[in-house]
Amino acid sequence: MDQFDQDNLDQQLTALFDGKVVRKDLLHRIKKGTNVPTFVLEFLLARYCASDEPEEIQAGMEAVLDTLNDNYVRPNEANAAQSRVATKGKHRFIDKVHVNYIEKDRRHWAALENFDSRRVAISEKFYRDNERLLQGGLWAEVTIGYNEIEDDDYAFFVEDLRPIQLSRFDFDRYCEGREAFSRDDWMDVILRSVGLEPTRLTKRVKFHFIARLAPLIEPNFNFIELGPRGTGKSYFYSEFSPYSTLISGGQATKATLFYNVQRRKIGLVGYWDTVAFDEVGGIKIKDPDTIQIMKDFMANGRFSRGVEVIAQASMAYVGNLDLSVEQIVNSEVYDLFQPLPKEFDLAVQDRFACYLPGWEMPKNSSEFLTGNYGFITDYLAEAFHYQFKQTNRYEEVSSRVKLGDAVEGRDEKGIKKTLCAFLKILHPNGKPSDEEFEEYVAYAVETRRRVKEQMNKRKTDDEFSRINLSYFTATGEEVIVYCPESRTAAATQEPSRRNIHAGEEGDDTPAETQTSTPMVPGVEVPTEPPSPAIEAETKPEPEEQHFTIHYGDTGYSYEALILPYLQGAKQVEIEDPYIRANHQIHNFVRFCEAVIKSPTVRKIVLTTSYDQDTDLKMLNERFEELKQSLLELDIELKILVNENMHDREIRIDNGWMIKIGRGLDFYQKPDLWFGVGAHDLSMRRCLETKVDIFRG
């Protein structure tokens, strides 16, 4: 290994922040081939590689690799890791630890991700001192012991747990060190700390990377970045900070994000500084209430779900643009919010403080990675976390910035929040010069204008038409700020307006001909789906039905039978004496999966019966697992027993009743469990039964 030559910035940084920095080239070498988060690897590098001497570095790298080999569990090695604990009696691991309260056991259990055990005993002191174990989990050095008492219902327990984070952070010392750097040098230090080489970036791109960090340092900051794939949009939220959590697509529920009424627990926004959504276009939101709560929270950091909840979490949304920016800005049909889910309406969009132009970011490439010193990621994350919780620069910004008349309420708030973030990141110790401050103002105004331009393209009237946002310099000159991609695009600057009075008396033009047409050749005009409100108005009322399902018929899934009759329902009650055998329990799980596709349902009640051959232990375990999974979706499952019941019926609290002669168990047992129909009930052959659906 060659001798490392420090440049001036390296020398200054290592002298002022000894023990708080690490060589990023070492991280790049060891990062390849492992899915260990960056802050975990740097925790080990700082422990073993605090030197520039080639021999010591080589020995330290070997020690890091040995530690990973001995203590880091890869997902496919879980069985070997468990065997090691059982054989040795205990072993230390590096793993992500979650703690869950299991209602049926009336106790907490730890779950280790890669060790692959969900039933590890843990003492209260660990999750009391580290609350994030209870929400989202925590990377830690954890010593797992083996329990040799056979009568106990667990094999492993947590003997010791040390979070992979700094135990103490000195903000005054951090600010004192900052004073020795110019603004530009400090910005380069920040960029090197996240693994980038600033000498290969333009000043504008440097500002973009600083803006990516804004949700990690400014509370209740709403950020969006859309752009091409492969630019590292989600990296900062998944690996840079242990105070950030990344939701990768899938379903976003109000119970998970905001508040779980059944558990009386606050969601992710109460435990994390930043909640980031990856692949935002793929988010599925089944309940309209989720969007309303999201709007309330994005507006002021509070919402109500029976209780008033206040939280500081910032929300970051990242996703991909499939069309070229040139196509979009010159099109009357498309806008730069095109990838967002349809539920993200103008009210959500108006709450974005900053739209970062992801199309200007460089693609991930080794040429942009630094080989120099930067802060240990966890140290910088602690600096950001401290300022997130303890500092407020809003009054300072408000007293210094002067914005033009076109800047309206949410514009002003968004611009000022972006300015606060830049000041916290680049000037934690004091105030920027007038020239530096005006650079931040121009950038903040541009990233808010990008939001307003897209809303103006979507709105049929002039509500958002004041897009020429401006600010005043220290000398009193007014400067109008433009977005580079759209400055000369007439379709964005002066979008055509639809006639919102189409079809009224005196207007002979058919409404469908009055929508704008694309200005870019080859861009297909999309057909807009009807809004949820229109769908709700036009959805026909389901009718009563009385029919027979014949032996061998297919096409009768629970979803097809029941879902049309769940409009507005909050509670579904099932009476079925035969939910006992394993396949009958599977049927009931499928039934619940069908029911919860109705966004209003909050409670499912099953009344069933047992006989002398029923395996009660197995049955209770299955029901408890189902209860827990439904609770995560904010749905209560209640199980009642009536040993004298014989009727089979489904009662819905909106008045509908469904009677199936055989109850839920009207499917033939598959001949092949890996054949068609084994899992998709619409393809499963049925037994003969009568079905009556009527108003109760």
Side-chain angles (χ1 to χ4, degrees), residues 136-149:
L138 191 67
W139 279 92
E141 285 186 305
V142 54
T143 302
I144 300 297
Y146 183 68
N147 178 29
E148 296 184 353
I149 302 174

Side-chain angles (χ1 to χ4, degrees), residues 150-162:
E150 293 185 3
D151 291 342
D152 287 344
D153 55 354
Y154 61 91
F156 306 109
F157 64 92
V158 174
E159 182 176 291
D160 189 33
L161 184 145
R162 291 192 296 166

Side-chain angles (χ1 to χ4, degrees), residues 433-487:
S433 66
D434 286 343
E435 182 182 358
E436 291 167 344
F437 188 70
E438 286 176 14
E439 286 181 328
Y440 309 149
V441 175
Y443 186 86
V445 172
E446 177 201 316
T447 56
R448 173 59 192 180
R449 175 174 180 144
R450 187 168 289 110
V451 172
K452 204 168 187 183
E453 284 185 352
Q454 312 320 306
M455 294 191 298
N456 187 43
K457 288 183 77 172
R458 290 194 173 198
K459 197 71 164 69
T460 57
D461 56 25
D462 294 330
E463 181 179 354
F464 301 111
S465 62
R466 302 180 72 187
I467 59 175
N468 284 331
L469 308 187
S470 63
Y471 70 94
F472 290 87
T473 66
T475 59
E477 177 189 359
E478 184 175 12
V479 178
I480 297 175
V481 180
Y482 293 88
C483 302
E485 72 278 358
S486 61
R487 180 166 188 159

Side-chain angles (χ1 to χ4, degrees), residues 77 127-128 208 276 290 380 541 546 640:
E77 297 173 351
Y127 54 83
R128 185 186 61 224
H208 291 338
T290 303
L380 190 59
E541 176 75 11
H546 305 273
L640 302 176

